[in-house]
Amino acid sequence: MNSVFDLHTGGNRRPVFFDKAVTCPPLAELDCHAQVIREELLALLPDKSQIPRYHDLDQMQKRISAVGDPEKSWKIFYLYIMGEKPAENRAKCPETSRLLDQVPGLFQAFFSILDGGKAIPAHRGPYRGYLRYHLGLVVPETNPPSIRIKDEHYTWKVGESILFDDSWNHEVYNECAGDRVVLIVDIRRPMPLPFALFNRFVESVMRLVYGKQILKKLT
């Protein structure tokens, strides 16, 4: 699939970061409402022990989620999964869910909760059909964690966001003491019609074989 998309993306010449205002202007609404989203997220954290680890939901993530100190976790709170909407989770975050529903081409959306000291080893997203947005919600001020994407680096800041190509090799460096939480939103990569139609077809298949299976584990 990626070889097909690379006829448009440019393959190894494709960019790392994207201009949100040009690529997907509605993401600006998430930026503007970062404080509301953060408040809904903070209301979840007292029950963090009940939020599943990434590899508990998706065994394919075990290589990057289950490594390192077993006392440290990478937890995921899903709000949208390839067309599936986990009702119980969304009821706890109604305003965030409403804002997400206004984003065209929404592919996935979840809070990514990384324990202090929990790093994520180098890996790459398997599929070039989407772009990934990160909105910083909880970021320790002392020794804040950062992400390397290809050969570029970014340090999260509360209320600030980036849009990047998740299919590049990337890893998270994290030696801070507190949790790092970002809202992750995957959007369908804007492409000309033939590629866009193929992307929608792949997404419909992934909804059946992945999205619905994750939803079952959440209910």
Side-chain angles (χ1 to χ4, degrees), residues 113-134:
I113 305 167
L114 202 62
D115 284 350
K118 173 71 171 178
I120 302 175
H123 64 289
R124 66 186 71 216
Y127 180 56
R128 293 218 239 289
Y130 67 85
L131 298 175
R132 175 155 287 187
Y133 164 95
H134 277 192

Side-chain angles (χ1 to χ4, degrees), residues 8-206:
H8 165 72
T9 68
N12 290 333
R13 301 186 310 279
R14 69 191 189 280
V16 175
F17 290 104
F18 290 77
D19 185 333
K20 300 187 299 292
V22 173
T23 307
C24 186
L27 289 174
E29 283 299 300
L30 299 180
D31 290 355
C32 290
H33 291 83
Q35 184 57 35
V36 173
I37 296 170
R38 186 174 188 271
E39 289 171 1
E40 291 190 337
L41 173 275
L42 291 176
L44 299 174
L45 294 184
D47 296 320
K48 189 178 75 169
S49 62
Q50 303 303 312
I51 298 175
R53 298 171 300 178
Y54 201 178
H55 61 279
D56 291 334
L57 295 172
D58 180 357
Q59 281 294 305
M60 292 187 295
Q61 307 301 332
K62 194 169 185 178
R63 183 184 67 82
I64 58 174
S65 173
V67 297
D69 186 342
E71 299 299 317
K72 305 289 186 180
S73 296
W74 179 13
K75 299 197 166 195
I76 299 294
F77 190 88
Y78 270 110
L79 295 168
Y80 191 90
I81 323 156
M82 301 173 189
E84 301 298 326
K85 298 181 177 183
E88 184 175 344
N89 284 7
R90 289 168 65 90
K92 294 177 180 178
C93 303
E95 185 61 17
T96 303
S97 298
R98 183 190 69 80
L99 291 165
L100 289 170
D101 287 344
Q102 296 175 11
V103 177
L106 189 62
F107 190 72
Q108 285 194 118
F110 53 90
F111 292 125
S112 171
I113 305 167
L114 202 62
D115 284 350
K118 173 71 171 178
I120 302 175
H123 64 289
R124 66 186 71 216
Y127 180 56
R128 293 218 239 289
Y130 67 85
L131 298 175
R132 175 155 287 187
Y133 164 95
H134 277 192
L135 173 62
L137 298 174
V138 176
V139 183
E141 293 183 0
T142 302
N143 198 15
S146 63
I147 184 170
R148 174 192 60 78
I149 310 164
K150 193 185 177 187
D151 54 2
E152 302 193 42
H153 293 78
Y154 175 79
T155 299
W156 290 282
K157 297 179 178 65
V158 172
E160 297 187 10
S161 65
I162 54 171
L163 181 66
F164 65 96
D165 184 338
D166 174 68
S167 68
W168 282 114
N169 182 278
H170 58 284
E171 63 183 313
V172 172
Y173 308 111
N174 184 16
E175 297 180 351
C176 65
D179 291 351
R180 181 240 57 180
V181 187
V182 299
L183 173 65
I184 292 181
V185 180
D186 294 336
I187 60 165
R188 208 177 292 126
R189 183 192 288 265
M191 290 185 283
L193 186 59
F195 301 101
L197 291 175
F198 179 61
N199 200 10
R200 285 176 178 267
F201 168 73
V202 173
E203 183 181 333
S204 67
V205 174
M206 293 176 71

